[in-house]
Amino acid sequence: MRGSDFLQLDPEPVGRGARTEWLTLRLRTAILDGALGIGSRLPSSRVLAEDLGFSRGTVAEAYRRLTEEGLIAGSAGAGTTVVAAGLLSARAAGRSAAASAAAPAATPAGAPAGRSDAWVEVPGASHDAVPSSLPHADVIDVATGLPDLAAFPRGAWLRAEREVLATATARQLGYAPPEGTVELRHELSGWLARSRGVVAQPDRIIVTGGVTGALSLVAQLLRDDRSVPIAVEDPCAEGSRRILRHWLGEVTPVAVDRDGIEVRRLSASGARAVLVTPAHQYPTGVVLSPERRREIVAWARDGGNLVIEDDYDAEYRYDRRPVRAVQPLAPDAVAYASSLSKTLAPALRLGWLVAPEHLHPRLVELRWAIDLGSPALPQLTLAHLLRSGALERHLRSMRVRHRARRDAALVALREHLPGCSVVGIAAGLHLVIELADGVDDERIAADARAEGVLVQPLGRHFAGVGRPGLVISYAGNHPARVQRAIEVLAHVIHRRGGTLAAS
Amino acid sequence: MRGSDFLQLDPEPVGRGARTEWLTLRLRTAILDGALGIGSRLPSSRVLAEDLGFSRGTVAEAYRRLTEEGLIAGSAGAGTTVVAAGLLSARAAGRSAAASAAAPAATPAGAPAGRSDAWVEVPGASHDAVPSSLPHADVIDVATGLPDLAAFPRGAWLRAEREVLATATARQLGYAPPEGTVELRHELSGWLARSRGVVAQPDRIIVTGGVTGALSLVAQLLRDDRSVPIAVEDPCAEGSRRILRHWLGEVTPVAVDRDGIEVRRLSASGARAVLVTPAHQYPTGVVLSPERRREIVAWARDGGNLVIEDDYDAEYRYDRRPVRAVQPLAPDAVAYASSLSKTLAPALRLGWLVAPEHLHPRLVELRWAIDLGSPALPQLTLAHLLRSGALERHLRSMRVRHRARRDAALVALREHLPGCSVVGIAAGLHLVIELADGVDDERIAADARAEGVLVQPLGRHFAGVGRPGLVISYAGNHPARVQRAIEVLAHVIHRRGGTLAAS
């Protein structure tokens, strides 16, 4: 009698050609429902195949699909286990833990209160939300602001790390200075000068946990100094706003127009600090104009205020001349933060901060007090990649790759949404489709999700009502999938009445 | 005419057999004096050999020695650069930067104010100080609380990381939950239960930047709650005290006797929280007795107080039965922190916190706000090592290695300091030699340094005057070097009048 104790699976009614689909569906359902919680061990494919009377290849294929979906993970010698949870089990966990942030991995801490939708924030440098479950096997995710992670330079990274470990001295494997290893700060000093025009000696660089780590350090200092309020662009990355609100309470939104943040409104706001994304405004993509740059530097110097420059994906420019950072105009008034999360991967949490000299010592002390500084080994590995030129080669190939995806998005937009207003296409990893006033972009995004496409509504990045639109992150998807996503979005938009903004 | 432009080196007077020594000395002097600052590039060995008329092997040997000393580092394709600075150049940098903490790597932030000695603190979980310069080529360092870093399992680590990268999904390379990857928390749950008896489901573990990161998180929460004062053991690790003082202002020292912290004094102190090292008190090495464990749990529960358990090197026990953590006695009242910095390397900054349920959500939110959480890739790699059993195998071999070094220390003590009182030998990575009252252990340490041995005075770990002694960290040195260090220390002690405590 065929059948498994595991999940009480009964294969009798299943047609031979449908076995893989059936098994994949049964397992996926059990995981998303919570019947198989995180950490549950699945039987080996050999054992389950025997129990069900299936070929081992059938079971292995089902496991492979679920691994691709990020629901399970296997390793030689330790078996296959469930590594993610679905929305239902996450919600149940959430209720039982009294809205604790200890819900399983699929609902990270910081989920916006009151949002019953499956949208979950991955705050901070990611700038975008990640859905808490995968209702379809073939969901296209243009919501998450990730680079093409399939292109992470695994070989180059491992070779560099091997070289580092082969030559590392005991000092290098011990405790690095809290501001970061001298090896990486030395390379970054040159890299930042070459790539962004940033002025920074190695001893003025602080290695942080990504851009968010840098932002958090500065915010804590502002809090200690009572240098409030802090202004943010409106719209701005919701994750950044939430980080700043954690440390500083409320933030002051200042409107952004085609030239970037409106510095006159900033001056009138009474803010003592401001967070800006000058090279490629998030999410609108505009570049802070030369005049606005002069104005914001004057505002900072005249008032003893601080400009925090988030240079998050400035490496990716396609159709325009390079745009220098603001920092070199006024290193005494600008705290510059960037990372390589968009070029390597967020999994490395490698970022840096170049702060005005008068703030530097206190920032280093704070970095020390938080956890003695970032891990040395990834820093040494990155330093190696910078020194050898491998990182710059990788960046060039990523730029080509991302450009192709951007171009595919534009082709699809011309075909499926002709005449729509698109912004931010000259650089970065995302673009914005503007929708007509009054359109409910949250509803459009929900409709899209039902059709298997995850996209960010623009409106949630505004402090107030804002303007409706869709933020399409194209970099993380194969060009054909980007185009398919746009086709679906166009369909959804038209179904709601062709609600595009005049371009 | 032989001679290099580089440093204006003139080899003419140098005897053939003295070339390596001469070049090593000239380069070392230039680095320690600051003539060659951090980041300065050295000529390739080929070029310098040609200029000086030396064999290439001579120059390569000089470079190798300086690399061993941690002063320079080279990599294929990028040349050799200076990576550390000496005390003189560090002091000069310190003065010019107005006591800024931006001094070169050799003087990390947090250097104790007013200390003119070369001792520089590497605070927090390291528990020990690191000298800012290396006055001799052959200094024996028994001051720094590091494990045997030469034994870092480079091959196993790289293999595990390769496997992780080969199978990692996009989700795993993206943003991990702030509390840490589910993969690592799952493995840690089992590991902590097996190795320490700690009670922790995966969703109650928070991955932090080492034990210091865990301590810092809890301290920030206590500060926000005004749950002060916090008590510390007296003596305790100076680094831990400094971290707590950063976040909480003053700390309340509570004496330690042969059974561990004196809980009656703790009760009388009015403290609302306490940091303890129950498995192997730092620095005395005593174990918190069963009765004291019951008392401290009662103190916590009766008063709604918090015990913070720093389980920093509990894996290393030699002569005694395993000692369970305190946490399982009262998971509701104990915040447990440990790491694998003493088994792998501090370069990884991998630690964890298991906190009482009522504190967990706020700690996760704080972890998020700091920098979105620890890097995922090292976490996934460690999870792999735990899952495959490689970490436990490595730990067993490290235990054998460290035990041999401890035994060598004991042999040397019996030979050179017979009758001295030694504590803390049953476990851990260090032992303490107690000196007679009134002895100036700082002076003994300074004398030892002049003789090429770096050792920590015990007195600086006390809040007040304390008792004099020497903390000898044996784990990071070959047994013969440990013995040589003890021989030198004995010589120094006897020169000062045979000033040992009665044992």
Side-chain angles (χ1 to χ4, degrees), chain A residues 38 67 75 78 83 123 126 154 157 161 165 169 173 175 182 216 223 247 347 349 368-371 375-377 387, chain B residues 38 67 75 78 83 123 126 154 157 161 165 169 173 175 182 216 223 247 347 349 368-372 375-376 387:
Chain A
I38 288 179
T67 300
S75 72
V83 296
S126 75
R154 298 162 204 237
W157 179 267
E161 192 166 314
L165 286 175
T169 61
L173 289 182
Y175 291 94
V182 62
S216 154
R223 178 179 69 171
W247 296 114
R349 311 302 301 121
W368 161 78
I370 283 173
D371 61 14
L377 187 54
R387 191 162 51 232
Chain B
I38 288 177
T67 299
S75 72
V83 295
S126 74
R154 299 161 203 236
W157 179 267
E161 192 167 315
L165 286 175
T169 61
L173 291 182
Y175 290 95
V182 63
S216 155
R223 179 180 69 172
W247 295 113
R349 311 298 305 121
W368 161 78
I370 282 172
D371 61 13
L372 306 187
R387 191 164 51 233

Side-chain angles (χ1 to χ4, degrees), chain B residues 110-132:
Chain B
R115 237 185 244 287
S116 60
D117 186 291
W119 288 113
V120 178
E121 302 302 325
V122 175
S126 74
H127 298 131
D128 297 282
V130 171
S132 67

Side-chain angles (χ1 to χ4, degrees), chain B residues 86-166:
Chain B
L87 178 59
L88 291 179
S89 56
R91 277 190 174 151
R95 280 194 295 271
S96 70
S100 124
T107 48
R115 237 185 244 287
S116 60
D117 186 291
W119 288 113
V120 178
E121 302 302 325
V122 175
S126 74
H127 298 131
D128 297 282
V130 171
S132 67
S133 69
L134 295 165
H136 305 263
D138 194 31
V139 160
I140 304 178
D141 179 358
V142 289
T144 312
L146 294 171
D148 178 14
L149 292 176
F152 176 81
R154 299 161 203 236
W157 179 267
L158 284 167
R159 277 192 298 277
E161 192 167 315
R162 175 180 300 279
E163 177 75 18
V164 164
L165 286 175

